[in-house]
Amino acid sequence: MIVNGKPTRTIWLGDNGESVEIIDQTRLPHEYIVARLDTLADAERAIFDMQVRGAPLIGATAAYGMALAMRDDASDAGLENAYKVLYATRPTAVNLRWALDDLKGLLSSLPPDQRQAAAYARAAEICDQDVEICSSLGEHGRGVIEKIWNDKGKPERINVLTHCNAGWLATVDWGTALAPVYKAHDAGIPVHIWVDETRPRNQGASLTCWELGQHGVPHTLIVDNVGGHLMQHGMVDVVITGTDRTTAAGDVCNKIGTYLKALAAFDNDVPFYVGLPGPTIDWTIKDGVRDVPIEERDPGEVTRLVGLSDDGRIETVTISPKDSPAANFAFDVTPARLVTGLITERGVAEASEEGLAALYPEHQ
Ligand code: MRU
């Protein structure tokens, strides 16, 4: 995607060929800062502190984290330790496990002196593959948006509601929920995006608005509770979100609040689509509510807000009484029955075991 007029990915290899560079997403939209990762601990911190976030980008960073770890210790013990450290960073996005299993499988079959080069090469491949996958799912999703627009008689604007950030900042490039939006916009379809602010960390307000703005896509920021009202008044044509883990039966686990949007969409006959790359499917589970581990984060993210003060300083303010306890569940599960379709790199699947199996027969 374009940042300040320049094609940019969210993660890349530095000029020395070994450091890894990322966009520090904790500083957006107020500051655009590139951070450098040199060690396993740097990669661990980047994922844990959410300098990088979004399921596919977490996977890509973990892959490079393994490569950074191999620079310091390419022994079997070093490999095990790197896997363990990175695996513990965030529990919900299954792309993390997918990337780590991939790297571990490859590296453990090689002698230690070949592991570093192989890890860097594989991490780069995973990044390139993510770009290809997201671009392709974007094409399929563009078809979904175009059909809805055509079926409605090509209105002046087609309104898409999205939650959190499932744009290019959540992947290596293109995004999942937003890839179809970029492709539709670039094809001349007049998309307008309702962006849920997405409390508590406000990834919609800070990240989705920023990246849509960089690409020139018309959008409007709304608070999290507005979607139902907009749907009742015919102001949403389609909801598209991402997912951190999709079960083999088509349940989707995404940023907290996604489920409520799906319920409102169901009640108002608004199609609810989810964009996902194949590596976000967890083929080992079916029942999302029961089996997906839900991350619980620091309650301070609920009781405090970070923003830009009128005199240009980034500040943190407290919004609740000092002694009130808070809970911070970061994800929820939307059952497959509420999902109109799963937009993947292989096409649009029905959200069901049969639908996914038809697109990914190799997992049967
Ligand atoms: O906590 P985050 O910011 O990592 O959550 C991100 C999301 O919920 C995205 O919707 C999800 O990772 C799908 S991404 C392309």
Side-chain angles (χ1 to χ4, degrees), residues 50 53-56 90 164-166 170 176 203 243-244 254-255 331:
M50 294 178 64
R53 25 68 52 202
R90 294 195 69 190
C164 194
N165 173 262
T176 57
Q203 291 95 324
T243 164
D244 279 75
N254 191 48
K255 182 53 55 191
F331 296 92

Side-chain angles (χ1 to χ4, degrees), residues 59-95:
T61 309
Y64 269 123
M66 293 290 272
L68 293 171
M70 293 302 99
R71 286 170 80 192
D72 282 341
D73 181 359
S75 67
D76 287 353
L79 185 54
E80 276 306 323
N81 178 56
Y83 185 99
K84 225 172 62 200
V85 164
L86 292 164
Y87 188 75
T89 49
R90 294 195 69 190
T92 301
V94 78
N95 307 57

Side-chain angles (χ1 to χ4, degrees), residues 267-290:
D267 195 42
N268 289 283
D269 277 330
V270 172
F272 182 95
Y273 283 92
V274 177
L276 62 124
T280 306
I281 305 168
D282 184 346
W283 297 100
T284 67
I285 57 172
K286 289 188 184 160
D287 183 336
V289 175
R290 194 189 60 197

Side-chain angles (χ1 to χ4, degrees), residues 33-362:
I33 291 188
V34 172
R36 192 171 126 169
L37 314 180
D38 286 307
T39 61
L40 169 63
D42 289 345
E44 176 194 18
R45 197 173 325 108
I47 300 173
F48 187 79
D49 291 346
M50 294 178 64
Q51 287 179 300
V52 290
R53 25 68 52 202
L57 181 56
I58 291 171
T61 309
Y64 269 123
M66 293 290 272
L68 293 171
M70 293 302 99
R71 286 170 80 192
D72 282 341
D73 181 359
S75 67
D76 287 353
L79 185 54
E80 276 306 323
N81 178 56
Y83 185 99
K84 225 172 62 200
V85 164
L86 292 164
Y87 188 75
T89 49
R90 294 195 69 190
T92 301
V94 78
N95 307 57
L96 175 68
R97 185 183 78 198
W98 172 84
L100 291 175
D101 284 347
D102 185 292
L103 266 286
K104 191 176 164 192
L106 169 73
L107 301 182
S108 51
S109 70
L110 297 172
D113 64 340
Q114 291 177 20
R115 287 177 181 169
Q116 180 182 329
Y120 273 102
R122 182 62 189 141
E125 258 172 42
I126 284 178
C127 289
D128 289 345
Q129 195 187 30
D130 183 65
V131 178
E132 247 173 66
I133 287 178
C134 289
S135 172
S136 166
L137 90 78
E139 284 301 336
H140 293 294
R142 180 193 53 78
V144 169
I145 294 175
E146 193 164 12
K147 179 163 185 335
I148 294 170
W149 185 54
N150 284 335
D151 289 351
K152 293 199 164 185
K154 298 195 175 178
E156 248 170 57
R157 79 179 200 179
I158 167 155
N159 290 298
V160 180
L161 185 141
T162 194
H163 193 67
C164 194
N165 173 262
W168 71 269
L169 286 169
T171 63
V172 178
D173 205 350
W174 283 110
T176 57
L178 293 190
V181 164
Y182 290 123
K183 300 268 182 184
H185 173 83
D186 293 351
I189 298 167
V191 276
H192 163 264
I193 317 304
W194 295 112
V195 181
D196 283 351
E197 61 175 344
T198 318
R199 279 281 284 146
R201 290 184 64 99
N202 289 319
Q203 291 95 324
S206 58
L207 304 177
T208 300
C209 286
W210 181 78
E211 62 162 270
L212 289 172
Q214 288 285 327
H215 200 80
V217 180
H219 60 279
T220 305
L221 176 64
I222 50 175
V223 298
D224 289 331
N225 305 325
V226 173
H229 166 78
L230 294 177
M231 291 183 215
Q232 283 175 327
H233 290 270
M235 294 164 79
V236 179
D237 297 299
V238 56
V239 180
I240 311 181
T241 74
T243 164
D244 279 75
R245 194 182 292 229
T246 306
T247 71
D251 292 350
V252 291
C253 179
N254 191 48
K255 182 53 55 191
I256 193 77
T258 303
Y259 172 48
L260 293 179
K261 293 298 136 69
L263 284 173
F266 188 77
D267 195 42
N268 289 283
D269 277 330
V270 172
F272 182 95
Y273 283 92
V274 177
L276 62 124
T280 306
I281 305 168
D282 184 346
W283 297 100
T284 67
I285 57 172
K286 289 188 184 160
D287 183 336
V289 175
R290 194 189 60 197
D291 294 331
V292 178
I294 301 294
E295 177 177 14
E296 287 182 52
R297 297 183 59 82
D298 178 1
E301 292 181 350
V302 176
T303 59
R304 292 195 288 265
L305 281 176
V306 181
L308 194 66
S309 69
D310 286 346
D311 58 1
R313 279 172 300 123
I314 295 178
E315 282 185 356
T316 303
V317 295
T318 298
I319 58 168
S320 55
K322 204 163 68 31
D323 297 328
S324 292
N328 189 4
F329 296 94
F331 296 92
D332 61 24
V333 173
T334 299
R337 68 188 156 79
L338 299 176
V339 178
T340 310
L342 299 170
I343 306 169
T344 78
E345 71 277 15
R346 297 191 186 177
V348 182
E350 185 187 270
S352 67
E353 204 170 341
E354 300 70 35
L356 281 172
L359 281 192
Y360 298 91
E362 70 273 27

